Amino acid sequence: MPKSARRRQLEQAVLLPLDWIEERTGIVGGVKYFLFRNVPRDINWMQTLGAATLTAFLVQATTGVFLAMYYKPDPENAYSSIQNITHDVTLGWLVRGMHKWGASVFIILMFLHMGRVFLFGAYKYPRELNWIVGVLLLATGLFEGLTGYLLPFDQTAYWATVVAININGTAPFVGPYLASLLRGGAEIGPDTLSRFYSLHMLLIPGALIGLIGLHLYLVVRLGVSSPPWSREAAGGEPEPEPPPAKTGLVQPRPRATSLRGRPD
């Protein structure tokens, strides 16, 4: 059924901003290629753990922006600002709960994703660099969780951070300097809280975004690996494509050919 002139005008009006961006940047075509690129036919739901981890990170980034609008990073007002978010701000309890429990979900999904990559052998050639980037992402994500744990500045957060900093301080050679750098002085105080807040909100998220961008680029460039039980992973021929569905139309019969290749 042909489209009406009004519908064509409406579609052109909707697509005009995307066409304008695509003509100048080419980003629309890149996003379309990323979303609709070819992947092996024998992948399963276990290959979606990476996308689930990315979704958890986006949820953390979004809820963190809203929490930063009301949070006050100083020892006198940090805990009261958290209570204000939880009890007084509209849907603040939901946003804070998503951010608090989402941090655990994000880290758990990273471990599951890396476990799947290891068991499937997807870290081998030519994806070694992507595995290294994933290890850096795991370490950076754990450090993000550590810096965020102090921000409520209650008794649990304070003493858990004391234990964490003291553990880092036992490292050989650089341990004492690292502990002093994290504390911002001889003991945990206002400088520690502001330092952890800046790390949690600025430095570590920037590093995570950069590493995630590199990780996704390598995934697109190198492709998705097949499960170890598939024919392609075992070095065999990939599974044949299914025959096209019959449409009910009469197909012309091919002419018979002789051994010489000429039609009889």
Side-chain angles (χ1 to χ4, degrees):
M1 181 178 180
K3 299 179 181 178
S4 63
R6 184 176 181 82
R7 181 176 178 181
R8 288 196 300 269
Q9 293 176 355
L10 181 61
E11 289 181 353
Q12 291 176 358
V14 171
L15 295 177
L16 182 61
L18 293 178
D19 293 338
W20 189 87
I21 295 174
E22 172 66 13
E23 184 178 0
R24 288 155 179 80
T25 65
I27 192 172
V28 177
V31 172
K32 186 181 297 185
Y33 172 78
F34 173 73
L35 294 177
F36 300 101
R37 68 189 189 280
N38 292 328
V39 296
R41 296 181 56 227
D42 49 7
I43 63 175
N44 53 43
W45 284 100
M46 296 187 70
Q47 265 92 348
T48 63
L49 287 171
T53 308
L54 176 61
T55 303
F57 171 77
L58 295 177
V59 171
Q60 289 300 100
T62 304
T63 54
V65 170
F66 285 105
L67 291 176
M69 297 178 182
Y70 298 95
Y71 178 73
K72 298 177 181 179
D74 66 89
E76 298 296 330
N77 300 308
Y79 183 74
S80 59
S81 66
I82 292 294
Q83 294 301 308
N84 176 60
I85 292 171
T86 305
H87 301 292
D88 299 328
V89 177
T90 304
L91 296 180
W93 60 272
L94 176 62
V95 176
R96 189 197 169 207
M98 291 176 63
H99 195 78
K100 177 182 178 180
W101 297 107
S104 299
V105 172
F106 175 55
I107 293 174
I108 291 172
L109 285 174
M110 279 198 296
F111 274 105
L112 292 176
H113 177 53
M114 293 193 69
R116 196 277 305 171
V117 171
F118 179 78
L119 293 176
F120 279 29
Y123 60 90
K124 299 178 182 179
Y125 175 85
R127 300 178 177 87
E128 301 96 333
L129 180 58
N130 215 11
W131 172 259
I132 295 174
V133 173
V135 173
L136 294 176
L137 274 170
L138 177 62
T140 309
L142 292 173
F143 191 39
E144 176 80 340
L146 172 64
T147 56
Y149 202 85
L150 178 65
L151 299 187
F153 215 71
D154 53 5
Q155 289 293 321
T156 303
Y158 179 88
W159 291 110
T161 305
V162 169
V163 172
I165 292 179
N166 288 339
I167 290 175
N168 284 276
T170 60
F173 305 111
V174 299
Y177 302 100
L178 180 60
S180 178
L181 177 66
L182 292 174
R183 284 194 302 263
E187 60 183 12
I188 294 178
D191 292 336
T192 311
L193 183 59
S194 61
R195 187 160 299 190
F196 271 50
Y197 182 69
S198 63
L199 289 172
H200 188 76
M201 285 296 298
L202 298 173
L203 182 61
I204 302 178
L208 283 172
I209 292 172
L211 290 172
I212 289 173
L214 177 59
H215 196 71
L216 291 177
Y217 167 75
L218 292 174
V219 169
V220 173
R221 188 177 188 277
L222 301 174
V224 179
S225 61
S226 297
W229 56 79
S230 67
R231 296 182 181 179
E232 185 175 350
E237 294 293 331
E239 296 182 4
E241 294 287 338
K246 297 182 179 180
T247 59
L249 300 178
V250 178
Q251 301 292 334
R253 294 182 60 185
R255 299 179 62 185
T257 57
S258 63
L259 297 177
R260 297 180 181 180
R262 293 179 298 180
D264 292 337

